[in-house]
Amino acid sequence: MRKIDERDIIFSRANYKKGTPIYEDYYKKNPHKKNLDDSIRSRPNICGDGSMTYNEVNSPMASSAFEFLSDITHLCEGHVNEKKIIANKKTLSKRIKGLASHYGADLVGVTKLKDYHFYTHRGRHEENYGEEIKSNHKYAIVFAVQMDKDMINRGPMLAEVVETSKAYVDTAVVGMILSYYIRSLGYDARNHMDSNYLLMPVLVAKDAGLGSIGRNTLLTTKEYGSCIRLGVVTTTLELEEDEPVDFGLDDFCKVCKKCAYNCPSTSLSTDTEKENNDIYNWTIDAESCYIKWRYFGTDCGICIAVCPFSQQLDSIKNIDTFKDNIPLISEVLKEYTKKFGKRPFIPGNPNWMR
């Protein structure tokens, strides 16, 4: 699997300011991306004045959450206790999963780290731009926090980004507690949270058995669909691994396509086959997607809301797998259409935001 350089992702590129050394370095190497990226940077920020959903009272609810996350980034790594506690990996895995759940994680899994999980180089922040990523950590604990689907169903309006920003905070707190706990046992641990990842949580979560990657390119779980946010803690502590799961999401996504058809920027693939001649077809045009985010002033969320798994339909809960079963998939989609029509949408803000 081809590794990704964090400098190339749109969230990194959007932060490169004209006249800075990292701006000059990146566009010297990638001149073909400069005009588009300059255009993106000229637009209002997410939650910013001038975007479609901007509200001077409500928009800072989300931007303040991201500011808080930025302020605690330095806590992701820390001192490791010199005294190493020795216990078997089954016991330690049970304790760690239980602690994560106690602090609000709805799903937790463990996997052994693979080379393709990691970015090649860092790119989000000026202080470590271009730094090659090296880690001696062997295991990853990955956890999902469910988001309030009534808030997500309001996307692309402001309530959606208020909810996603909260979920990033929730996963950051779980990750902080786990990493502090593991370091207290005498093993190194790092919390990977919003804008401070060394790896790609979606790939880690898939290998740890939390779910599969859907047409919307997000981690999709049978329990909560894409209506989750992920956090990861990596560590030198040896743990029990979980196995990947297959509940037939590939077969479901081949038929469904609701995320692609409802995407306001047409950024998602409508191809039927996931792979064709060794080319991965279910991709996202990250640039057109992110441009729409900047226009809305939120991170949209429509592809999350329209996923039938996100709506926790009864017909999904009662089925173990959709693999090779078109009739079952058709029944789910009929229930979905009867209940929501084209897509779920709750207009307006919840009472407490009005």
Side-chain angles (χ1 to χ4, degrees), residues 222 245-252 309 315-326 328-329 332:
K222 188 170 184 295
V245 298
D246 182 3
F247 54 92
L249 183 67
D250 286 357
D251 288 351
F252 194 99
F309 289 91
S315 57
I316 289 178
K317 293 178 182 178
N318 297 328
I319 296 169
D320 291 329
T321 181
F322 292 93
K323 195 171 183 64
D324 299 323
N325 202 324
I326 300 300
L328 278 179
I329 296 170
V332 170

Side-chain angles (χ1 to χ4, degrees), residues 79-328:
H79 173 73
V80 178
N81 191 352
E82 293 181 4
K83 181 183 177 182
K84 187 168 288 188
I85 304 301
I86 305 299
N88 69 64
K89 61 182 181 180
K90 182 176 181 179
T91 298
L92 290 168
S93 300
K94 179 182 178 182
R95 297 291 190 276
I96 287 169
K97 289 181 177 181
L99 185 61
S101 298
H102 187 64
Y103 270 86
D106 294 292
L107 300 170
V108 191
V110 173
T111 189
K112 189 171 282 188
L113 285 162
K114 316 292 193 304
D115 189 52
Y116 62 78
H117 290 150
F118 290 93
Y119 290 116
T120 61
H121 298 80
R122 302 192 71 175
R124 288 292 288 269
H125 305 291
E126 189 169 4
E127 61 268 23
N128 48 39
Y129 169 88
E131 186 178 291
E132 186 177 1
I133 292 176
K134 296 179 180 179
S135 176
N136 67 337
H137 292 182
K138 298 294 195 322
Y139 290 86
I141 306 117
V142 57
F143 40 90
V145 170
Q146 181 189 9
M147 296 188 288
D148 185 322
K149 63 183 175 65
D150 284 348
M151 293 286 276
I152 298 302
N153 286 352
R154 289 179 162 89
M157 306 311 291
L158 195 59
E160 182 272 343
V161 73
V162 170
E163 180 61 18
T164 57
S165 61
K166 174 189 177 294
Y168 279 119
V169 171
D170 292 340
T171 56
V173 170
V174 175
M176 287 297 187
I177 296 299
L178 292 185
S179 55
Y180 271 66
Y181 170 60
I182 293 169
R183 292 196 295 264
S184 77
L185 299 178
Y187 303 86
D188 196 19
R190 185 189 196 277
N191 182 23
H192 301 257
M193 50 175 259
D194 179 64
S195 83
N196 191 31
Y197 301 108
L198 301 184
L199 42 64
M200 289 161 279
V202 168
L203 299 182
V204 180
K206 177 181 181 294
D207 288 348
L210 267 62
S212 300
I213 300 173
R215 181 181 293 276
N216 59 9
T217 73
L218 300 174
L219 195 283
T220 301
T221 70
K222 188 170 184 295
E223 297 86 349
Y224 311 113
S226 308
C227 199
I228 56 170
R229 281 293 180 263
L230 297 170
V232 179
V233 169
T234 57
T235 181
T236 56
L237 177 64
E238 188 171 342
L239 298 166
E240 277 195 330
E241 294 178 69
D242 294 296
E243 295 295 324
V245 298
D246 182 3
F247 54 92
L249 183 67
D250 286 357
D251 288 351
F252 194 99
C253 289
K254 284 179 183 179
V255 178
C256 178
K257 302 184 183 181
K258 290 190 180 296
C259 58
Y261 291 147
N262 282 279
C263 177
S265 56
T266 63
S267 301
L268 295 171
S269 166
T270 57
D271 285 334
T272 299
E273 294 300 321
K274 191 172 186 178
E275 293 182 33
N276 185 22
N277 296 326
D278 295 324
I279 297 174
Y280 192 84
N281 289 331
W282 292 0
T283 57
I284 184 170
D285 184 330
E287 287 81 3
S288 62
C289 174
Y290 187 68
I291 287 170
K292 189 63 75 172
W293 287 17
R294 297 284 282 249
Y295 168 74
F296 287 143
T298 74
D299 49 1
C300 184
I302 290 175
C303 66
I304 297 174
V306 300
C307 177
F309 289 91
S310 296
Q311 298 304 322
Q312 300 175 44
L313 299 174
D314 289 336
S315 57
I316 289 178
K317 293 178 182 178
N318 297 328
I319 296 169
D320 291 329
T321 181
F322 292 93
K323 195 171 183 64
D324 299 323
N325 202 324
I326 300 300
L328 278 179

Side-chain angles (χ1 to χ4, degrees), residues 4-19:
I4 294 173
D5 189 327
E6 193 187 29
R7 291 173 291 189
D8 291 328
I9 68 172
I10 191 61
F11 304 116
S12 298
R13 288 153 46 197
N15 287 331
Y16 299 157
K17 295 180 175 62
K18 282 187 177 182

